[in-house]
Amino acid sequence: MSQTAEHHIPSLTFRDTVRSSDADAVRDIVASTGFFTSAEIEVAVELVHDRLSRGERSEYFFLFADCDGRVVGYSCYGPIACTVGSFDLYWIAVHEKWRGRGIGSVLLRATEERIAAAGGRAIYVETASRAQYDPTRRYYENNRYVREATLKDFYTPGDDKVIYSKRIRGA
Amino acid sequence: MSQTAEHHIPSLTFRDTVRSSDADAVRDIVASTGFFTSAEIEVAVELVHDRLSRGERSEYFFLFADCDGRVVGYSCYGPIACTVGSFDLYWIAVHEKWRGRGIGSVLLRATEERIAAAGGRAIYVETASRAQYDPTRRYYENNRYVREATLKDFYTPGDDKVIYSKRIRGA
């Protein structure tokens, strides 16, 4: 199945640099997923502005997947303060119109390569246990992330925080 | 033993409001513990400035324990975004000169009451597994915090992140 899906992957260009037009692109992509509240969408956009205004001093790094000059997906990650080689993956999303073609996994792999090149040893990602996030958890598990911890009722009674991690080979 | 220790607790006044002089007080307290790097100390001070400049819009809340007009300890906590009733305890510290008198536990209890009054259901606190933090972990365990999760090698190989939590009764 996934072989077939990967067959349809369009030709992607990966880009580390952030442009001012990326703020709108990120808003479009995150909103298109239908997963996030407007407050959460604004947080995603705010991180782009942080990177644009603070440059290298920002702790947020981005990887954009462009196709024919359009941003179809992106990830946002960064080193975790006070750790040696642990990185958070804050956001990873593919525009709804481009989902189901394996772009998410290709983007994740490209992000892991960037993190490894930056000296990363491990990547952490947090998600929720509620049913809405079943595809998200499956996505990480399919990409060899390990469910390392669960914080019971963290978000609200009945909705746990789930922390996944993946060990990677640093540069 | 702890009964005897609590006998010596000086008369403390708790204060929620933040004064500009608290920035220096926090620096003194955090530095006095000998636990933190200068970068970490600056993070602690920065949170005071955030509260002073942004007021109610700041997500950082403080509780100061004053004795005879001097700040002897403090805690910094706040609601965790996108959760209903989960709070982070970011910092809690007592000045080295005042340690060993049970002030830390009294301050922790007073902080828990503030969080409960603000609708908190649960408090989360993160610490490290390395030996330096043995007293810290014992302190939370003595105060009925439960070791809920461990992220192996999170800080550096051999030094895990340990997440404690405590369920409290919200207002």
Side-chain angles (χ1 to χ4, degrees):
Chain A
M1 285 290 277
S2 82
Q3 285 298 84
T4 317
E6 304 221 354
H7 243 253
H8 297 281
I9 291 181
S11 165
L12 299 176
T13 310
F14 289 107
R15 174 168 58 84
D16 289 292
T17 52
V18 184
R19 303 173 184 151
S20 56
S21 59
D22 289 326
D24 284 342
V26 161
R27 180 180 286 108
D28 278 356
I29 290 167
V30 173
S32 80
T33 66
F35 264 55
F36 302 103
T37 65
S38 58
E40 288 166 338
I41 295 168
E42 288 315 307
V43 169
V45 174
E46 184 47 50
L47 303 187
V48 180
H49 288 302
D50 185 86
R51 182 74 195 181
L52 285 168
S53 63
R54 303 178 64 226
E56 297 287 315
R57 288 177 297 122
S58 168
E59 60 214 286
Y60 301 106
F61 293 76
F62 288 83
L63 187 63
F64 295 95
D66 294 339
C67 182
D68 288 336
R70 288 186 59 103
V71 187
V72 299
Y74 87 106
S75 64
C76 174
Y77 63 93
I80 304 175
C82 307
T83 73
V84 177
S86 287
F87 280 68
D88 264 329
L89 178 61
Y90 299 111
W91 292 86
I92 183 161
V94 172
H95 196 288
E96 185 57 32
K97 285 193 291 198
W98 295 80
R99 286 182 73 182
R101 309 192 201 190
I103 295 176
S105 293
V106 173
L107 176 59
L108 184 54
R109 221 126 50 212
T111 304
E112 291 166 2
E113 285 165 14
R114 272 20 174 226
I115 292 174
R121 287 184 303 112
I123 303 174
Y124 293 89
V125 60
E126 299 179 352
T127 187
S129 70
R130 63 183 185 274
Q132 181 193 345
Y133 288 97
D134 284 351
T136 308
R137 294 194 309 282
R138 256 198 319 272
Y139 163 72
Y140 289 119
E141 287 161 12
N142 288 342
N143 284 286
R144 301 189 188 178
Y145 283 69
V146 174
R147 187 173 178 142
E148 194 172 349
T150 303
L151 300 180
K152 197 103 190 84
D153 301 325
F154 179 86
Y155 293 108
T156 200
D159 189 17
D160 311 335
K161 179 196 269 197
V162 182
I163 303 173
Y164 283 93
S165 68
K166 185 175 188 172
R167 301 294 181 260
I168 55 170
R169 187 165 306 174
Chain B
M1 285 291 276
S2 82
Q3 284 299 84
T4 317
E6 303 222 353
H7 243 254
H8 296 280
I9 293 182
S11 166
L12 299 176
T13 309
F14 289 107
R15 174 168 56 83
D16 289 292
T17 52
V18 184
R19 304 172 184 152
S20 56
S21 59
D22 289 327
D24 284 343
V26 161
R27 182 180 284 108
D28 278 356
I29 290 167
V30 172
S32 80
T33 66
F35 264 55
F36 302 103
T37 64
S38 58
E40 288 166 338
I41 295 168
E42 289 315 308
V43 169
V45 174
E46 185 46 49
L47 303 186
V48 180
H49 288 302
D50 185 86
R51 181 75 194 180
L52 284 168
S53 63
R54 302 178 64 227
E56 297 287 316
R57 285 177 299 122
S58 168
E59 59 214 288
Y60 301 105
F61 293 76
F62 288 84
L63 187 62
F64 294 96
D66 293 339
C67 182
D68 289 336
R70 287 185 59 104
V71 188
V72 299
Y74 87 105
S75 64
C76 175
Y77 62 94
I80 304 175
C82 308
T83 73
V84 177
S86 287
F87 280 68
D88 265 328
L89 178 61
Y90 299 110
W91 292 86
I92 183 161
V94 172
H95 197 287
E96 184 57 33
K97 284 193 292 198
W98 296 79
R99 287 183 72 182
R101 309 191 199 190
I103 294 175
S105 293
V106 173
L107 176 59
L108 184 53
R109 221 126 51 214
T111 305
E112 290 166 2
E113 285 164 14
R114 272 19 175 229
I115 293 174
R121 288 184 301 111
I123 303 174
Y124 293 88
V125 60
E126 299 178 352
T127 186
S129 70
R130 63 183 185 272
Q132 181 193 343
Y133 287 97
D134 284 350
T136 308
R137 294 194 310 280
R138 258 199 317 274
Y139 163 73
Y140 289 118
E141 286 162 13
N142 289 341
N143 284 287
R144 300 189 189 178
Y145 282 70
V146 174
R147 187 172 177 142
E148 196 174 347
T150 303
L151 300 180
K152 198 101 189 85
D153 302 324
F154 179 86
Y155 293 108
T156 199
D159 189 17
D160 310 337
K161 179 195 271 198
V162 182
I163 303 173
Y164 283 93
S165 68
K166 185 176 189 173
R167 301 294 181 261
I168 55 169
R169 187 166 307 174

